[in-house]
Amino acid sequence: MSEVKFYSGESVPLEMHKVRIVQKLHLVPIEQRHAAITEAGNNTFLLKNRDIFLDMLTDSGVNAMSDRQQAAMMVADDSYAGSETFYRLEERIREIFGTRYFLPAHQGRACENILSQVLVRPGTIVPTNYHFTTTKAHITLNGGTVEEIFTSDALEVTSEKPFKGNMDLEKLRALIAEQGAERIAFVRCEAGTNLIGGQPVSLQNMRDVGRICREHGILAVLDASLLADNLYFNKIREAECRDMSLREITRAVADQYDLIYFSARKLGCARGGGICMNSEDLYKTIREKITLYEGFLTYGGMSVREIEAITVGLEETMDMDMVSQGPQFIRFMVEELARKGVPVITPPGGLGCHIDARAFLSHVPQAEYPAGALGSALYLVGGVRGMERGTLSEQRNPDGSEKLADMELLRLALPRRVFTMSQVKYAVDRIVWLYENRRMVGGLRFVEEPSILRFFFGRLVPTSDWQEALVAKFRADLGDSL
Ligand SMILES: *Cc1c(COP(=O)(O)O)cnc(C)c1O
């Protein structure tokens, strides 16, 4: 793989695309941001776009589309049944993954709903390298339990391990021996991972897990929502993949699984989802649920325009220039922050830059939501919206006590091809300023706490007047800057 080197020696990722449609952004003054975050109950989900400068909440449904995707949307074939648009997607999926059958669904969690209804029975277990929020909810809703069998590297904040998303093979074998293969609904691999810093899974690990599943007649399932990032890391971090094309790596990955599902809000840079498999029996069983919950088999709850965009988006995902943009920008951001001493998850993964809020705000107790407080503070000082991934995102224990999270992270997602280098540098600058003033940041407490998924709608207040003090310090340091 060739790389562009700067004569100056500077090391910055170079965008291999040009911007042809733009959206105006607003950076409102810090006093206005203070009012906005107060009104939002210090919950970044409740902020309005008009008050946000850089929206780093998520990579879901907000990746930039290409000119070819937009053009394809104009020629979509609108019909309830038998749409040519659908057959184009089906054909592309078959070509890329090598799977025989494809079923459409309106997004990733819809696939999870249907798979859990078909495969999970009360008392069954789903071993996984790491859960995702919606996946776990659907498995639990159908009476199953999720067993996380990540390796000891997975939760280490700073590390040089290239594949922290790998599954622990010994734990998987032990679990099968202890519970019996018939109690395992399926083995689920998420590549790349979402909740543990976008860390990838190696092709070798997928192969090993696939072999164990076949030995025991257990269904192997891949959640490929974040596969674009994972393919990039396979290619640059795994010796056997170095000389393979992305298409070849994708086929080698797909060959390890009986079933693949994905959110096309991420994979394919559009909005939708789908399930791919080879088994005709499985296809027929799942098919019934698609027509019941999603729509007819040739749209599955998606707009035909989005289906066209996914088809082109998947094709474009086979291009290293395309898949490298996100991870390279993330690496730049992580390395800049690490150089300034800001605690971030390393090695850099996909999806976004993850700040370790427990280390950043080591004086804020976990029960006062350090990751939530950091999210609120970063919006305040920079107009940058991140997502809390820590205790606030957990559900309380049945006795009402806090369930303290394994990790307290503020995730700053970098939607693919959306932000420019100077915007990333601005975010780094404001994070570094905040780090230097971190002792001023206090905690949060709930004033409105929903009993389920409290992170979406909960409202909190600062535990002291730390936000007023931070605004005053910002003005003292940065004058009348926005
Ligand atoms: C986003 C995501 C999902 C859910 O997909 P939606 O389209 O948001 O419903 C499932 N798994 C992973 C790994 C994801 O990142």
Side-chain angles (χ1 to χ4, degrees):
M1 189 181 47
S2 59
E3 204 179 300
V4 179
K5 292 193 182 72
F6 283 65
Y7 178 57
S8 67
E10 197 185 4
S11 173
V12 285
L14 184 63
E15 294 89 339
M16 299 304 283
H17 55 260
K18 61 179 176 181
V19 178
R20 298 181 61 214
I21 294 183
V22 296
Q23 179 181 3
K24 184 170 164 53
L25 286 174
H26 302 278
L27 180 54
V28 299
I30 189 168
E31 291 77 13
Q32 208 172 317
R33 299 199 292 265
H34 187 200
I37 195 69
T38 303
E39 197 190 329
N42 288 280
N43 181 344
T44 57
F45 277 102
L46 301 181
L47 285 166
K48 298 192 174 90
N49 255 359
R50 67 175 82 115
D51 297 318
I52 295 164
F53 181 50
L54 301 182
D55 190 359
M56 298 186 167
L57 186 75
T58 177
D59 65 332
S60 176
V62 290
N63 299 295
M65 292 208 284
S66 70
D67 50 356
R68 293 179 60 240
Q69 284 181 291
Q70 300 261 355
M73 291 172 94
M74 302 308 290
V75 294
D77 179 27
D78 232 328
S79 72
Y80 187 90
S83 161
E84 279 303 319
T85 289
F86 175 76
Y87 297 124
R88 282 195 273 273
L89 175 59
E90 190 185 41
E91 179 57 33
R92 182 56 35 81
I93 296 268
R94 202 172 280 147
E95 181 222 326
I96 288 179
F97 290 132
T99 43
R100 207 167 303 145
Y101 299 108
F102 174 67
L103 288 167
H106 79 276
Q107 64 185 93
R109 72 199 66 184
C111 305
E112 294 171 337
N113 169 36
I114 287 168
L115 291 180
S116 301
Q117 286 196 32
V118 168
L119 300 171
V120 177
R121 295 279 162 271
T124 57
I125 299 167
V126 178
T128 181
N129 51 340
Y130 208 80
H131 76 277
F132 182 65
T133 49
T134 54
T135 328
K136 188 171 178 174
H138 282 296
I139 291 167
T140 311
L141 207 60
N142 285 281
T145 28
V146 169
E147 278 287 342
E148 323 227 43
I149 45 173
F150 48 79
T151 64
S152 56
D153 309 321
L155 304 185
E156 270 175 30
V157 175
T158 48
S159 164
E160 295 191 347
K161 295 278 163 52
F163 292 104
K164 291 202 289 184
N166 280 356
M167 210 175 268
D168 187 317
L169 303 175
E170 287 318 308
K171 282 193 208 156
L172 178 59
R173 285 204 186 89
L175 186 74
I176 297 170
E178 192 185 296
Q179 301 290 344
E182 53 303 329
R183 271 199 71 193
I184 310 237
F186 57 90
V187 170
R188 172 180 177 276
C189 173
E190 184 179 296
T193 58
N194 190 320
L195 299 186
I196 50 170
Q199 299 295 318
V201 180
S202 70
L203 175 57
Q204 188 55 50
N205 188 257
M206 297 184 191
R207 218 177 252 137
D208 293 338
V209 169
R211 190 178 320 111
I212 294 172
C213 287
R214 280 191 295 279
E215 275 167 26
H216 294 90
I218 299 170
L219 203 72
V221 172
L222 173 69
D223 179 343
S225 303
L226 300 175
L227 186 66
D229 296 338
N230 208 90
L231 292 173
Y232 169 81
F233 291 118
N234 291 132
K235 172 111 178 139
I236 67 157
R237 292 184 186 170
E238 205 166 359
E240 72 163 302
C241 296
R242 202 153 298 151
D243 298 321
M244 291 164 78
S245 66
L246 291 184
R247 220 174 269 281
E248 288 165 338
I249 301 172
T250 306
R251 277 302 279 273
V253 166
D255 286 350
Q256 310 313 316
Y257 298 95
D258 301 299
L259 187 146
I260 301 168
Y261 75 90
F262 61 93
S263 166
R265 296 178 66 82
K266 294 134 189 186
L267 186 67
C269 294
R271 290 143 211 95
I275 307 173
C276 325
M277 73 230 95
N278 280 316
S279 156
E280 190 176 352
D281 287 347
L282 202 52
Y283 166 73
K284 285 185 173 160
T285 314
I286 296 172
R287 188 169 68 173
E288 288 171 19
K289 301 278 184 192
I290 297 286
T291 44
L292 189 58
Y293 291 101
E294 299 299 302
F296 191 69
L297 296 182
T298 54
Y299 70 93
M302 287 184 277
S303 126
V304 283
R305 272 161 265 293
E306 296 292 341
I307 299 179
E308 288 285 359
I310 297 167
T311 307
V312 175
L314 287 176
E315 177 62 35
E316 291 178 348
T317 302
M318 299 293 108
D319 174 2
M320 198 60 178
D321 283 342
M322 192 276 196
V323 299
S324 61
Q325 191 275 332
Q328 285 183 345
F329 265 52
I330 291 162
R331 186 179 71 193
F332 177 84
M333 194 167 172
V334 166
E335 287 176 353
E336 286 290 296
L337 289 170
R339 231 161 23 85
K340 304 270 168 54
V342 178
V344 279
I345 289 200
T346 59
L351 212 169
C353 165
H354 296 73
I355 301 181
D356 177 8
R358 191 152 28 185
F360 197 113
L361 299 179
S362 55
H363 56 285
V364 175
Q366 245 188 311
E368 291 182 13
Y369 315 119
L374 186 59
S376 169
L378 180 59
Y379 169 73
L380 182 63
V381 307
V384 177
R385 168 158 82 162
M387 188 190 289
E388 194 271 359
R389 285 292 164 189
T391 298
L392 201 75
S393 297
E394 295 283 345
Q395 202 138 317
R396 280 184 189 271
N397 295 314
D399 68 0
S401 61
E402 281 288 359
K403 183 176 186 308
L404 302 178
D406 291 336
M407 296 178 110
E408 290 289 339
L409 304 179
L410 177 65
R411 182 182 87 183
L412 300 171
L414 290 189
R416 296 162 189 89
R417 301 179 294 196
V418 168
F419 296 124
T420 62
M421 186 42 64
S422 50
Q423 289 170 337
V424 169
K425 284 186 171 180
Y426 165 84
V428 167
D429 182 80
R430 290 300 188 257
I431 296 165
V432 170
W433 182 86
L434 190 60
Y435 188 62
E436 284 174 12
N437 292 283
R438 63 191 177 278
R439 303 296 307 182
M440 296 178 70
V441 179
L444 298 174
R445 68 179 165 80
F446 271 105
V447 285
E448 263 182 64
E449 185 178 347
S451 58
I452 50 162
L453 298 177
R454 61 182 184 173
F455 60 93
F456 278 136
F457 302 120
R459 308 183 80 85
L460 303 98
V461 290
T463 51
S464 68
D465 64 355
W466 61 263
Q467 294 181 332
E468 284 76 7
L470 210 54
V471 173
K473 183 68 170 26
F474 181 96
R475 283 277 165 251
D477 286 359
L478 286 146
D480 61 0
S481 170
L482 288 170

